[in-house]
Amino acid sequence: MSPYRTSRHNSGIIVPYERLPFTFAHYSVACERHPQRNEDSIIVEKRSGMAAVFDGVGGSAAGEIASQTAARATLLDWKRAFYQRHQGFKGRMFLEECSKVDLCELLPQILKEADELVRSEGAQRAGTDDLATTVALAAFCQTPETNGYKMVYAHVGDSRVYLLREQEPLKRLTTDDGLLGRLVENQMVNDEDARRIDQAMHADQLSDAEFSYFRLRGGITQALGGPVPPTIHIDQVSIFPGDRVLLCTDGIHDNLIEDEIEEILRKGPRTSVARLLVEHSILRSRQERYVTVRAKPDDMSAIVITCRF
C-alpha cells in the first residue's frame, strides 16, 4: 500500500496528499519604518495550485486595507469556483486538468471582483478612496499529454512574476505598469535601455535623464482599486519539473538586481528560498546611498513555487 494518503476527485485521478506536484515557499515582512503594519498581503493555496502577492498603496493604513481586501476577495472567489466544480470535496481541492478549467477566463474575473471590492468595501473601511493595490497571481493546471503543467498568470501594477529553468537564465514574465513601461510604449527608450536603467546599481551607470527615470520607476500607472478599472494582464507558460516560479512585490526587485535574484533562486533550498530573498533584500535596503542607489526600505514579500521532479 502507498505510504501516502490519497483522495479521488471528480475526474477520477488519485492525488497523494503528501506528494503534491509543487513546493510553495513564502515569506513576507513589514517595512522596518512601520514594523506593525505590513501593506503586502499574500495567498498560498497549495492543493488547488494558486498563489498571489499584493502590494497596497495609499496613506497610513489604507495600503494595508487595500491589499487585505483584494487578497480576501481573490481567495474567496477562487475557492468558490472550485467548490462549485467539486461539491462534496471541500478542503480537498487539487490541480485541474487544463482542458477542464479556463484559467485565462477565470483569473481576470476574480481580479475584477477584487478591484470592485477595494473601491467599495476597502474605501469604506479606510475612510478614503485614495487606496489601491498591485497584484501578481499564478495558477496551475495539469497537461497530461506533456506530463507537465501550465501556469496562467495575471498581474496589475509592478508586482512581478519570474520563471527560472535549470539551463536557462532567469526570465521576467511580466512588464510593470510603471514609468519605464510607459517610456517604452511611447518609444522614448527601447526595451534594452529600460532594462539597463531598471537594473542599475550605481548612479554613474546612468545619464542624468536615465537616473531621473530610475528614481521614478516605482510610480505605477494602474492598480486594483485605482481611479479607473485596470487592464488585467494575462498570459500562460508551460511548467516542467525543476522549474521555479517567483512572485514578488517591489520590495524584492527594487532592492535586488535580477542576477542576484537568479543566484538566490538557483542555490536556495526549495522550502526556505523565499525567506532568503527577503533577507537579502532587507540587507540591501539598509545600505547607504553611496554604496548603491537601489537601497529602499519597504514591505517585502516573495513566493517561490518549485515544480517537483
Side-chain angles (χ1 to χ4, degrees), residues 3-297:
Y4 304 118
R5 290 180 297 138
T6 62
S7 177
R8 185 185 302 270
H9 63 60
N10 291 1
S11 67
I13 298 174
I14 294 181
V15 183
Y17 275 168
E18 284 80 6
R19 190 59 182 173
L20 298 172
F22 296 99
T23 298
F24 289 77
H26 54 92
Y27 205 73
S28 181
V29 299
C31 178
E32 292 178 328
R33 293 178 177 175
H34 47 79
Q36 303 305 315
R37 188 183 76 249
N38 191 344
E39 296 178 0
D40 288 357
S41 295
I42 63 174
I43 297 173
V44 176
E45 279 290 295
K46 298 180 181 180
R47 288 185 174 140
S48 57
M50 188 272 281
V53 296
F54 302 81
D55 184 356
V57 295
S60 186
E64 181 183 21
I65 291 172
S67 71
Q68 289 177 353
T69 301
R72 184 174 63 253
T74 298
L75 180 58
L76 290 175
D77 278 357
W78 174 260
K79 287 184 173 181
R80 185 180 299 118
F82 273 79
Y83 286 164
Q84 289 173 350
R85 294 182 57 81
H86 300 292
Q87 293 184 12
F89 293 88
K90 293 185 178 182
R92 299 186 177 187
M93 302 179 294
F94 300 101
L95 297 184
E96 293 259 28
E97 288 188 17
C98 297
S99 61
K100 296 182 178 180
V101 57
D102 189 347
L103 292 173
C104 289
E105 179 181 351
L106 177 62
L107 299 190
Q109 289 176 351
I110 288 175
L111 293 184
K112 287 177 183 177
E113 176 67 20
D115 171 62
E116 292 174 2
L117 283 178
V118 173
R119 295 169 192 279
S120 55
E121 177 186 314
Q124 184 176 13
R125 284 181 58 203
T128 176
D129 58 4
D130 183 22
L131 76 167
T133 181
T134 70
V135 60
L137 183 154
F140 299 85
C141 57
Q142 302 178 69
T143 54
E145 65 276 7
T146 65
N147 197 32
Y149 306 89
K150 181 171 71 177
M151 177 178 73
V152 178
Y153 56 96
H155 87 284
V156 178
D158 62 356
S159 292
R160 293 181 180 176
V161 183
Y162 288 94
L163 173 63
L164 182 65
R165 292 206 161 115
E166 287 193 323
Q167 303 301 322
E168 298 178 14
L170 180 70
K171 183 177 182 180
R172 189 198 308 174
L173 299 179
T174 54
T175 300
D176 297 346
D177 291 316
L179 173 66
L180 290 176
R182 184 63 59 85
L183 292 174
V184 171
E185 183 181 321
N186 293 335
Q187 300 183 335
M188 296 177 66
V189 299
N190 59 37
D191 285 321
E192 183 178 347
D193 285 338
R195 185 183 185 281
R196 178 175 55 81
I197 294 168
D198 180 68
Q199 296 298 293
M201 286 286 287
H202 307 286
D204 59 11
Q205 295 176 292
L206 305 171
S207 68
D208 289 345
E210 289 172 341
F211 186 52
S212 69
Y213 297 155
F214 175 87
R215 295 180 66 185
L216 296 171
R217 75 196 191 286
I220 57 176
T221 55
Q222 65 164 7
L224 301 182
V228 296
T231 299
I232 297 166
H233 309 289
I234 188 88
D235 210 337
Q236 59 187 25
V237 65
S238 295
I239 298 293
F240 301 101
D243 288 354
R244 278 190 169 174
V245 174
L246 167 65
L247 310 180
C248 65
T249 58
D250 64 351
I252 303 296
H253 64 73
D254 277 352
N255 279 289
L256 302 179
I257 62 173
E258 289 175 357
D259 286 347
E260 294 171 318
I261 292 174
E262 177 175 347
E263 182 177 9
I264 296 167
L265 282 177
R266 248 183 233 293
K267 295 180 179 179
R270 65 187 181 193
T271 57
S272 59
V273 61
R275 177 177 55 80
L276 292 175
L277 283 164
V278 171
E279 289 175 347
H280 280 78
S281 298
I282 292 172
L283 291 176
R284 172 62 48 72
S285 74
R286 295 170 178 167
Q287 291 182 331
E288 299 293 339
R289 288 288 177 174
Y290 68 83
V291 177
T292 177
V293 294
R294 300 196 72 84
K296 176 193 167 187

